[in-house]
Amino acid sequence: LLRRGLPTLHAKYGMPLALNAGDAMNVLTLRALLDNFGTLGIERTQRIFEEIEWMVLQSVEGQAMELGWVEKSKWDLKERDYYLMCLKKTGWYTCISPMRIGATIANARYGSIGVLNSFGYHLGIAFQIQDDILNLKGDQNLYGKESGGDLWEGKRTVMLIHVLNSCSPDER
């Protein structure tokens, strides 16, 4: 959509409606799971539901971490704090859980699915950092979000955390 110059959902209808549509789409995935219950069987279906539950819990916790930092004006963060937030907010939702669910659907041995966690963790961090970089210097028409919005919202990006930890108290 961005390459074609079409507006993204949040740009066209606003963030609240876009978030609501995203939540609705998440719920609709459960229908696909239920529709395939006969093929997947009870054990795999239950494991997938448990993956979804864990993913949502982790995502909500990661989002709460980020919102809490802004709300409480917390600036004494380290890169490891950012990475934990990325794991929870982005890693599980965008990378780890989809891979684990795919492996479950493919009937991978349950014990072997955990190897996807590390790869998904690093992929999630890379995804979030790329998003943060695009917010700093991305073309608004291509990126679909306002440039510098993360700074104006007070989001703690890895770049901002690095700068704050590298400067003197006066510079801070």
Side-chain angles (χ1 to χ4, degrees):
L1 290 174
L2 296 176
R3 289 191 182 124
R4 294 184 184 146
L6 299 174
T8 58
L9 193 62
H10 76 277
K12 188 170 183 179
Y13 297 104
M15 192 57 76
L17 288 177
L19 289 172
N20 196 45
D23 290 343
M25 289 170 48
N26 200 6
V27 169
L28 292 175
T29 63
L30 298 177
R31 173 49 46 202
L33 179 58
L34 292 172
D35 288 346
N36 285 284
F37 179 78
T39 302
L40 295 169
I42 193 163
E43 184 181 327
R44 278 192 286 172
T45 300
Q46 181 177 346
R47 285 185 9 218
I48 293 168
F49 268 118
E50 290 170 355
E51 288 289 341
I52 293 169
E53 175 193 31
W54 183 252
M55 171 194 68
V56 171
L57 178 63
Q58 294 304 304
S59 298
V60 169
E61 286 180 4
Q63 189 68 27
M65 286 173 69
E66 184 175 51
L67 293 171
W69 295 341
V70 174
E71 178 70 25
K72 293 178 174 48
S73 294
K74 186 168 175 63
W75 293 103
D76 60 334
L77 300 169
K78 303 293 181 211
E79 289 178 8
R80 70 177 177 273
D81 299 314
Y82 175 85
Y83 297 146
L84 178 60
M85 183 272 301
C86 287
L87 168 65
K88 291 181 164 289
K89 177 185 165 190
T90 308
W92 281 101
Y93 189 88
T94 305
C95 304
I96 301 169
S97 290
M99 289 189 298
R100 290 175 59 97
I101 290 169
T104 300
I105 291 169
N107 213 16
R109 287 189 340 269
Y110 186 70
S112 67
I113 293 175
V115 301
L116 299 170
N117 293 4
S118 179
F119 177 68
Y121 166 70
H122 291 94
L123 192 60
I125 290 172
F127 180 92
Q128 188 63 56
I129 290 173
Q130 177 65 27
D131 185 66
D132 294 347
I133 290 169
L134 284 171
N135 191 266
L136 284 176
K137 64 177 225 148
D139 182 335
Q140 184 173 349
N141 293 327
L142 293 175
Y143 178 55
K145 295 182 185 178
E146 73 285 348
S147 184
D150 286 350
L151 288 173
W152 288 112
E153 292 174 29
K155 288 189 176 182
R156 278 47 169 186
T157 64
V158 73
M159 293 78 71
L160 183 58
I161 291 169
H162 177 75
V163 166
L164 291 173
N165 286 323
S166 299
C167 62
S168 70
D170 288 341
E171 291 170 324
R172 194 176 286 169

